[in-house]
Amino acid sequence: MDKVIVVASKNAGKIKEFKEMLEPKGFEVKSLADFPDIGEIDETGTTFSANAIIKAQAITDKYNIMAISDDSGLEIDAFDKQPGVQSARWLGHDTPYSYKNQVVLDRMKDETNRSCRYVCAIAVTRPGKEPVVFEETVECVIAKEPSGKNGFGYDPIVYYEPFGKTMAEMTNEEKNRISHRGKAVVRLETWMEHEGL
Ligand code: IMP
């Protein structure tokens, strides 16, 4: 494999999905775990795109290499689009998702507007070039109860109506085909081919 992509993340679930999508295309996917001296990157942006650029740019600036970063999260309309860019930190970074998901369900108990979406912004940064960002969404609803063991994070309560199942009930292939991240990766790949990368 000659093409290396650094995914500026330590999130094992996200890195696994990136590997599944990019390794078959001949990319070696590295993560922040391969760059321990970079330390924590503060996500100070208020949008997914801004945070994606901050993370990738930190790698490019330090190592003078191309990097990509995904910033993603869940917007729940009844919560005024929270947790949004706070999705990983919401109710505490280390709080188990079984608990976070139950809090969402409890707060949504009498809510009729259950619409939500996953958003994913993928930023590409390269030495001496402007960052490029691809942002995609997948429209879903909050389920009535958690279901499914696949995926990660909020997936057991995020119900995708066209398939009649939660994200956690999908196979990896199904999720990657319709997900916010899957769609953003397709745009990334198209752009990379166009750029000859
Ligand atoms: P980030 O690592 O700061 O981009 O945070 C992303 C967070 O958004 C994750 O830790 C999850 O809480 C949530 N999230 C993003 N994409 C997904 C997904 O595909 N499934 C479940 N949760 C997701």
Side-chain angles (χ1 to χ4, degrees):
M1 279 189 271
D2 56 343
K3 300 183 281 189
V4 176
I5 288 191
V6 183
V7 179
S9 171
K10 287 182 192 158
N11 178 321
K14 286 202 308 198
I15 291 157
K16 179 168 171 282
E17 290 185 2
F18 270 115
K19 285 191 172 183
E20 278 164 13
M21 291 185 273
L22 292 170
E23 283 182 350
K25 308 213 175 270
F27 287 99
E28 183 183 349
V29 178
K30 290 186 178 276
S31 79
L32 276 191
D34 298 302
F35 297 87
D37 52 329
I38 189 93
E40 285 300 314
I41 304 170
D42 285 334
E43 295 179 28
T44 50
T46 55
T47 63
F48 295 104
S49 295
N51 279 335
I53 292 171
I54 288 170
K55 287 187 276 187
Q57 196 69 56
I59 297 274
T60 293
D61 289 348
K62 191 163 167 80
Y63 299 103
N64 212 36
I65 51 171
M66 172 170 151
I68 63 170
S69 163
D70 145 306
D71 197 63
S72 52
L74 176 66
E75 292 182 346
I76 301 175
D77 289 337
F79 295 177
D80 214 10
K81 301 204 173 168
Q82 296 298 314
V85 292
Q86 305 283 344
S87 291
R89 289 161 276 172
W90 192 65
L91 302 177
H93 197 279
D94 297 325
T95 305
Y97 277 92
S98 53
Y99 178 81
K100 295 193 196 196
N101 289 341
Q102 197 53 53
V103 171
V104 173
L105 294 180
D106 291 348
R107 291 189 192 170
M108 295 283 285
K109 200 161 64 71
D110 300 318
E111 183 57 62
T112 50
N113 178 9
R114 307 192 74 84
S115 60
C116 65
R117 71 202 52 76
Y118 278 137
V119 184
C120 173
I122 296 181
V124 187
T125 53
R126 293 172 290 171
K129 305 235 183 197
E130 287 296 311
V132 181
V133 188
F134 307 100
E135 188 169 304
E136 288 289 336
T137 59
V138 56
E139 294 292 328
C140 296
V141 293
I142 298 295
K144 292 280 185 188
E145 55 189 34
S147 186
K149 299 251 175 281
N150 300 329
F152 66 97
Y154 299 94
D155 283 347
I157 60 164
V158 173
Y159 186 86
Y160 182 66
E161 289 181 313
F163 287 179
K165 49 179 140 177
T166 69
M167 292 279 177
E169 293 174 311
M170 293 183 193
T171 62
N172 296 347
E173 187 277 320
E174 284 173 325
K175 183 178 171 190
N176 290 340
R177 182 147 41 96
I178 54 86
S179 80
H180 50 325
R181 190 168 302 102
K183 291 193 283 187
V185 165
V186 168
R187 286 184 53 203
L188 169 72
E189 288 167 347
T190 307
W191 174 84
M192 288 178 114
E193 274 166 33
H194 184 258
E195 292 281 305
L197 294 167

